[in-house]
Amino acid sequence: MTKVDTRLNVSPVPPDEIFALNGAYAVDPHPQKVSLGVGVYRTDDGKPWPLPVVQKAEKELVGDDDLFRHEYTAIEGDVPFLGIARDLMFGFEGKQGEEEAKARIGSVQTVAGTGANHLGALFLAHHMKPANVWLSDPSWANHETIWELADVPIKKYPYYHAETRSFDFEGMMSSLESEAQEGDVVLLHACAHNPTGLDPNKEQWVAIADLCERKKLFPFFDSAYQGFASGSVEEDAWAVRYFFNTKPDMEMCVAQSFSKNFGLYGQRVGAFHYCTNRASVTLRDVVVNNLCHLIRGEFSMGPRVGCSIVKKVLTNDELTADWHQDLQVMSSRIKTMRKALYNELVRLQTPGTWEHIIQQNGMFSYTGLSPKQVYALKDKYHIYLLKSGRASISGLSQKNVAYVAQAIDDVIRNEN
Ligand code: LMR
């Protein structure tokens, strides 16, 4: 690099892999290119899919004079939206003890899921000062950036068993059991683990919750796929609700994103929920007050339009039913494409076992392809996926799945 005259102390950082790959894909003129990189839902024609229910809500919102005066909201965000977001996540409406449960949760609006993770990390770094945060190995790469920026030392718990391509439950439990210290934060993916697509089963979640309680660890849930993974908002929130409902003496928090489940990627809709324990219920307002202090210094308040769409849908029974239908469309197309890829690889007798592709859950498959094979897919076939072998299944379609399977077959046989 030529020497420049600057007061800065900067050196280049690696570009974000997911968005660099997306950029490279966008400018690739190859007619058969396939994007299996960034986690965004695509139709079978490879197009972004504005959810029909979102389009309906947008039409209704056009006449909303208040919204389109573009006024400020409050620092904590759009308060009715926050109640709706909280109820969707924790699902205690109409249940006994609902008011008491709500009193334990302080919520603020964030700049989507990344913003919620970041705000939560910053808040805990300032006010809890955990000795460590434990991330799954592997995890969404941005988790590492977020906690590094918050200046909290990062440790990793085993999560993935490469030989069997399965969830390493024993590894996770024994590492947290023997090494995590009281007060450490444990980052957990609420469902559709990114990048592996492998989630604990309910029995395993129960054991993880018990371990967190017994060792006094602080669970930090990242919920980016509620309803998108299984098609059911209840099922995908099971772990969060289990922790919250059965461990009332444990504090925890949730970073909630609406990017995937409403297809509102560019609108940046999200919320951060801090759950106090039974003994410190009155702390909730002080928590929100401190979160607002951080928000004010960073971005003043969340944006309005995206959260108004979510609010419109979730306050109208008919639109809510439409949304559940849209979730079914997305989650079932992804399951269909997993099966289609699996069937093709089996038909081609591609060396190796491929059941993991249909066993994994949510947007991604951790294919098991090596970095060299991933590189060859891009170089020879213009198929883009992350070098870890993570493939975004929604980039597959009936039109390209045979092409992708044949390309995988080639690199498996020839790029070892
Ligand atoms: C992904 O993992 O591809 C998505 O969650 C998009 C992102 O922000 O990284």
Side-chain angles (χ1 to χ4, degrees):
M1 208 166 86
T2 41
K3 198 169 171 351
V4 287
D5 186 16
T6 176
R7 287 176 187 279
L8 297 174
N9 177 12
V10 283
S11 50
V13 288
D16 178 83
E17 190 195 4
I18 294 172
F19 283 93
L21 203 66
N22 209 28
Y25 169 80
V27 297
D28 183 343
H30 195 272
Q32 278 183 294
K33 66 179 177 175
V34 181
S35 172
L36 305 182
V38 66
V40 289
Y41 183 76
R42 293 279 179 257
T43 62
D44 204 48
D45 294 322
K47 302 228 171 74
W49 194 53
L51 269 57
V53 71
V54 166
Q55 291 184 313
K56 271 196 200 172
E58 280 166 348
K59 286 208 183 92
E60 292 191 23
L61 284 172
V62 167
D64 186 331
D65 189 46
D66 177 48
L67 177 61
F68 290 103
R69 281 177 192 268
H70 303 299
E71 270 288 11
Y72 288 130
T73 48
I75 295 175
E76 67 261 45
D78 180 319
V79 174
F81 160 77
L82 288 171
I84 290 162
R86 178 202 58 204
D87 292 354
L88 178 69
M89 190 74 256
F90 294 90
F92 36 55
E93 68 287 335
K95 297 208 181 107
Q96 217 192 349
E98 178 183 347
E99 287 316 312
E100 219 177 291
K102 285 182 180 168
R104 284 179 49 209
I105 307 174
S107 306
V108 290
Q109 195 183 324
T110 59
V111 183
T114 299
N117 274 280
H118 163 72
L119 183 72
L122 199 66
F123 176 71
L124 297 184
H126 278 258
H127 300 294
M128 194 181 278
K129 302 197 190 319
N132 304 293
V133 56
W134 288 83
L135 305 183
S136 61
D137 183 13
S139 196
W140 181 46
N142 210 19
H143 283 146
E144 203 156 329
T145 307
I146 286 166
W147 286 93
E148 243 171 54
L149 292 175
D151 222 3
V152 176
I154 296 171
K155 292 203 171 173
K156 297 198 177 167
Y157 58 85
Y159 195 82
Y160 179 66
H161 202 272
E163 281 101 87
T164 53
R165 292 181 185 160
S166 58
F167 169 43
D168 185 3
F169 174 64
E170 284 74 28
M172 170 179 181
M173 295 299 277
S174 72
S175 146
L176 290 176
E177 181 70 66
S178 60
E179 292 171 58
Q181 305 167 27
E182 179 173 336
D184 281 0
V185 173
V186 183
L187 200 134
L188 302 164
H189 300 225
C191 67
H193 182 269
N194 178 2
T196 66
L198 296 164
D199 292 324
N201 62 32
K202 288 181 183 160
E203 209 178 302
Q204 291 166 334
W205 274 125
V206 169
I208 296 167
D210 287 345
L211 180 117
C212 288
E213 184 180 45
R214 183 164 42 76
K215 290 199 54 106
K216 298 191 170 32
L217 309 178
F218 183 90
F220 189 126
F221 278 99
D222 184 357
S223 175
Y225 296 92
Q226 189 186 358
F228 185 99
S230 68
S232 152
V233 294
E234 282 78 33
E235 192 59 24
D236 293 346
W238 191 90
V240 169
R241 294 177 185 182
Y242 178 81
F243 274 58
F244 180 79
N245 292 325
T246 63
K247 308 285 178 202
D249 295 318
M250 184 165 72
E251 286 175 283
M252 58 181 263
C253 69
V254 184
Q256 181 184 24
S257 166
F258 290 87
S259 300
K260 277 49 177 199
N261 55 7
F262 273 82
L264 288 170
Y265 303 92
Q267 287 293 344
R268 317 311 292 143
V269 190
F272 176 73
H273 307 282
Y274 188 93
C275 311
T276 61
N277 59 29
R278 221 173 6 193
S280 62
V281 163
T282 50
L283 187 71
R284 181 191 70 172
D285 296 343
V286 185
V287 168
V288 170
N289 159 261
N290 277 271
L291 286 167
C292 285
H293 182 65
L294 295 176
I295 291 172
R296 180 68 170 139
E298 291 219 332
F299 57 99
S300 270
M301 66 200 59
R304 292 188 67 168
V305 175
C307 75
S308 298
I309 294 172
V310 170
K311 204 167 53 170
K312 183 102 216 152
V313 172
L314 296 182
T315 48
N316 175 308
D317 289 346
E318 205 179 303
L319 293 179
T320 302
D322 286 356
W323 178 56
H324 288 146
Q325 188 58 37
D326 292 348
L327 289 172
Q328 285 295 336
V329 169
M330 293 192 286
S331 60
S332 58
R333 197 187 90 73
I334 289 190
K335 284 181 197 136
T336 304
M337 292 326 301
R338 286 184 182 279
K339 187 85 176 101
L341 178 61
Y342 169 77
N343 287 345
E344 277 297 309
L345 292 169
V346 170
R347 188 182 65 76
L348 294 167
Q349 299 187 348
T350 307
T353 56
W354 300 100
E355 279 76 17
H356 58 284
I357 292 181
I358 40 180
Q359 281 156 4
Q360 294 160 348
N361 191 26
M363 183 83 96
F364 304 110
S365 174
Y366 215 46
T367 58
L369 294 168
S370 68
K372 190 170 171 217
Q373 291 162 341
V374 167
Y375 181 77
L377 283 177
K378 178 164 165 231
D379 197 40
K380 283 171 79 175
Y381 294 99
H382 302 261
I383 297 171
Y384 293 73
L385 57 154
L386 302 194
K387 68 175 182 299
S388 63
R390 186 195 87 168
S392 176
I393 293 293
S394 73
L396 291 174
S397 68
Q398 298 294 353
K399 287 183 206 127
N400 67 21
V401 68
Y403 172 73
V404 171
Q406 181 275 316
I408 292 177
D409 185 76
D410 174 32
V411 302
I412 288 281
R413 291 178 198 276
N414 299 311
E415 303 286 341
N416 289 308

